[in-house]
Amino acid sequence: MTETLTRFEPFPEPPALILEYIAERSTEESVTADGPAPWDIGALSAELIEPMPAWLDSVCRWLNRTYAWQPQDVIPPCWAKHEGLAYEIAALAFARGDAYAEAGSSVIWHEQYDRFLTRMNKTLGKAGDECRVGQHEDRPARFQLAAWPTRTDGGREEKSGTQRVKELA
């Protein structure tokens, strides 16, 4: 019976550089303690972000092998092209390390994982089916954010080309 438990794969370890960064942030004397949290991938330096895609991809593969028993539970291979998913996967991966310090916390992590799946499926919508089979398409044209006016450096909104043409007509 114990043979069945020996085949379980361990959760992927964060890259050494990230573990060092976390250790530095936790020391009070550290100059980098004010740096961004390692799960805030948009705020990380180029040096810190460099090892993250490979690690987060291994986390996604581990989550899929371990938990994805239904198609809607599969994190698609194009997860990094969905910025919201990338942020959530990073937070979920780092939260797991903390959660397994106590049994009760690990139960809470599993509840967080379930909520992550709900948000992932809401984010992906119908496109999720295509993404899961390797046919990712960028955000559908009707949902492009190009309609939002761009901002100038001064914070003022710059009018889109369409608005400017209408004003000139």
Side-chain angles (χ1 to χ4, degrees):
M1 185 59 131
T2 45
E3 283 180 10
T4 58
L5 295 180
T6 59
R7 65 181 177 88
F8 289 8
E9 292 180 46
F11 189 78
E13 282 287 321
L17 182 65
I18 299 298
L19 291 174
E20 290 169 15
Y21 177 72
I22 292 169
E24 279 183 34
R25 285 184 84 238
S26 65
T27 62
E28 290 183 29
E29 307 89 42
S30 175
V31 175
T32 61
D34 292 334
W39 51 88
D40 187 0
I41 56 177
L44 296 178
S45 68
E47 178 188 19
L48 289 172
I49 200 68
E50 195 269 324
M52 293 291 276
W55 176 60
L56 292 177
D57 192 69
S58 66
V59 166
C60 290
R61 290 170 186 269
W62 184 89
L63 289 168
N64 284 341
R65 279 192 309 272
T66 306
Y67 294 107
W69 289 82
Q70 300 297 321
Q72 69 272 12
D73 296 342
V74 173
I75 300 168
C78 58
W79 60 268
K81 294 180 180 176
H82 300 273
E83 288 184 32
L85 285 184
Y87 275 101
E88 287 216 41
I89 291 164
L92 192 66
F94 282 104
R96 190 181 183 283
D98 294 338
Y100 272 74
E102 297 179 24
S105 297
S106 65
V107 171
I108 293 169
W109 181 88
H110 283 90
E111 291 170 358
Q112 291 170 338
Y113 176 68
D114 187 54
R115 290 193 304 267
F116 158 76
L117 291 175
T118 300
R119 289 188 307 275
M120 176 184 72
N121 285 306
K122 181 180 176 187
T123 298
L124 294 174
K126 293 177 184 177
D129 293 338
E130 300 303 314
C131 286
R132 287 184 180 96
V133 295
Q135 297 175 355
H136 172 81
E137 289 188 30
D138 289 332
R139 188 184 304 232
R142 68 178 186 267
F143 298 117
Q144 289 294 336
L145 299 177
W148 282 72
T150 57
R151 292 196 176 257
T152 62
D153 288 340
R156 295 184 325 253
E157 289 185 359
E158 187 177 282
K159 296 177 182 172
S160 70
T162 307
Q163 288 174 318
R164 280 186 246 129
V165 168
K166 285 181 183 176
E167 287 179 359
L168 293 173

